Amino acid sequence: MQSTSILPFNPPLSFPPNLPRFAPIIRHFPSPSKLRVPISMASSPSGLAVGSRTETISSRTAIDGLYTLTDYVGKDGIGLGDDLVLLLTHIQYACKRIAALVASPFSFDLPNPAGLAVGGGVVVGAERDAPKPLDIVSNEIILSSLKKSGKVAVMASEEDDEPVWIRDDGPFVVVTDPLDGSRNIDASIPTGTIFGVYKRLVELDNLPREEKAVLNSLQSGTKLLAAGYVLYSSATILCASFGSGTHAFTLDHSTGDFILTHPHIKIPPRGQIYSVNDARYFDWPEGLRRYIDTIRQGKGKNPKKYSARYICSLVADLHRTLLYGGVAMNPRDHLRLVYEANPLSLLVEQAGGRGSDGKNRILSMQPGKLHQRLPLFMGSLEDMEELESYGDVQQKVNPGYEV
C-alpha cells in the first residue's frame, strides 16, 4: 500500500496595503499636586448613609451622577479633614502607578535583587516569602508618595526590616504591604496593596527617632483611622473603611478616578464558600479538619454543602469573601498582624463580619513586634462563630516559616 503524506494547511496570508498604524495608548495619571476640581458638577442623591450616620453630599460632588473617592472623603462628602484627604489622594495615586506597573508587559524586565529566585527559579522554605523585584519597586512608589504628601511621620512596610521615619511634624503613621501575592504575577493571578493609617502618637515625640518609629507602628488595630486594600485584577478596586462602613471604588482608566461602585458593603451573615489551602489538610489540627469536613458535607449549621475557592492571593480571596460571604483563612502563623491582619480585619468588621486568629479578635491584639505573624480567619459572622466553636483551629505543625 502506497503511503501518502499530508501537507500542513498553511494558506498564504495577505494583508491590505497601507494599513494604518496606531500609536500605543499611554495613560499618564496626574500627580496629586496637579489635580484640579472639576468645574461642572451634576446633581447627586440627597443623602448618603455612612455607618450609623447619614451624610449629605452636595450636588457639587458628583460628576455625571458618580462619586469619586476624593469627592467621597472631602468636605462635601464625609469630611475626613484636609490632612487625611490629602494623604489618601497620594495613596491612591501610588496605587494607580502600581496598577500600571503590574499590568505592564515590561514589568518582567525589572532587575532581580541579588540572591532572589524569580520567574522560573525554584524558591523553597522561607525564601518563598522573599521580596520580588515588583515588591521593591511598589514599596519605593508608596514611600515616595507618602513623602510628597507631607503628612506622614513614619511608614512601616512588610518589605523593610525597620520603619522609615519621614518627618517630625507628619500627623499620620502608615503601615503597608505594598504588593501582596506578588509571586503570582508571572501567572497573571490577582495581587493587591494593603494599607492602614494611624495618628502619630505625639506623647512619643521626645524619644529617639528609631524607638518612636517602632512604637508608632505597633498600635493596635482599634486605633486605625482608615484602612484599605487595592485589588489589581480584571478591574482595579480600592476598598476602604474610614471607621463608618466599608466601601469599594473602581478605577476608571479613562479619567484616572476611583469611582464609588460598592457603597456600604455588607458581608452576608453566612456564605457557602471557604477559602484555604487544602493541600495542608493533614497538617491541620483536629478541630479545623472536623469543621471543614462538616461544612463540605452540608452537615453544619448551614445545611448546604460548601464549595472551596482559593486563589492564594489574600486580597483577592478576601474581596470575594466580602461580596459573597463565607470564610477566608490561613491557619498557620503566616500572615502579619501589623501590615495585613489589622487593616483587613477593620474592613471585615465594618462590613459586619469578624476577623480573628481562631480564638481572639484581631483588632484587640497589641502587636509585640513589627513582623509578628499569626493565623488569620476572616469572614461572615455566623460562619466565623461556627468555625471558632470547634476550638482547635490554629495549625502549629509544619508552619513553613520561622515564627
Side-chain angles (χ1 to χ4, degrees), residues 220-237:
S220 71
T222 55
K223 296 183 179 180
L224 279 165
L225 297 177
Y229 63 74
V230 180
L231 173 66
Y232 309 118
S233 184
S234 56
T236 300
I237 298 176

Side-chain angles (χ1 to χ4, degrees), residues 114-326:
L116 297 183
V118 182
V122 177
V123 186
V124 295
E127 293 178 2
R128 283 169 57 87
D129 207 34
K132 311 299 189 295
L134 278 175
D135 290 287
I136 305 302
V137 176
S138 299
N139 193 54
E140 292 172 352
I141 289 173
I142 292 177
L143 177 59
S144 174
S145 285
L146 298 185
K147 287 180 177 179
K148 292 177 180 177
S149 76
K151 301 300 179 183
V152 178
V154 59
M155 182 188 93
S157 169
E158 182 179 319
E159 304 304 330
D160 298 323
D161 292 336
E162 300 294 336
V164 178
W165 190 264
I166 297 176
R167 57 186 301 150
D168 293 339
D169 61 348
F172 302 116
V173 175
V174 174
V175 297
T176 182
D177 181 352
L179 194 58
D180 177 75
S182 59
R183 67 184 179 187
N184 292 323
I185 285 179
D186 288 353
S188 296
I189 294 174
T191 55
T193 294
I194 305 169
F195 65 89
V197 181
Y198 297 93
K199 283 185 179 179
R200 185 186 93 244
L201 300 175
V202 295
E203 60 269 26
L204 304 178
D205 284 352
N206 292 329
L207 295 177
R209 177 171 292 184
E210 293 77 11
E211 184 178 355
K212 65 183 178 182
V214 171
L215 293 177
N216 269 285
S217 304
L218 292 178
Q219 300 184 54
S220 71
T222 55
K223 296 183 179 180
L224 279 165
L225 297 177
Y229 63 74
V230 180
L231 173 66
Y232 309 118
S233 184
S234 56
T236 300
I237 298 176
L238 190 156
C239 185
S241 176
F242 312 106
S244 53
T246 297
H247 318 277
F249 303 79
T250 302
L251 181 61
D252 180 351
H253 288 280
S254 66
T255 65
D257 293 314
F258 277 102
I259 304 297
L260 179 62
T261 51
H262 300 73
H264 314 291
I265 294 174
K266 294 298 180 185
I267 187 172
R270 183 177 288 279
Q272 200 178 337
I273 297 173
Y274 72 93
S275 179
V276 67
N277 184 358
D278 272 330
R280 297 186 180 271
Y281 178 89
F282 295 104
D283 291 331
W284 293 346
E286 179 63 24
L288 183 57
R289 279 189 281 179
R290 284 194 299 111
Y291 170 73
I292 295 297
D293 290 343
T294 300
I295 62 174
R296 281 197 295 207
Q297 298 176 72
K299 295 181 179 179
K301 293 183 179 180
N302 184 350
K304 297 181 179 180
K305 295 180 179 179
Y306 279 50
S307 297
R309 298 286 186 273
Y310 182 59
I311 303 173
C312 193
S313 177
L314 179 59
V315 169
D317 281 317
L318 177 61
H319 186 70
R320 181 197 56 247
T321 303
L322 279 176
L323 298 181
Y324 300 153

Side-chain angles (χ1 to χ4, degrees), residues 267-270 326 352-354 379-386:
I267 187 172
R270 183 177 288 279
R354 174 172 168 80
S380 299
L381 186 59
E382 293 179 14
D383 283 314
M384 287 292 297
E385 290 173 346
E386 182 176 1

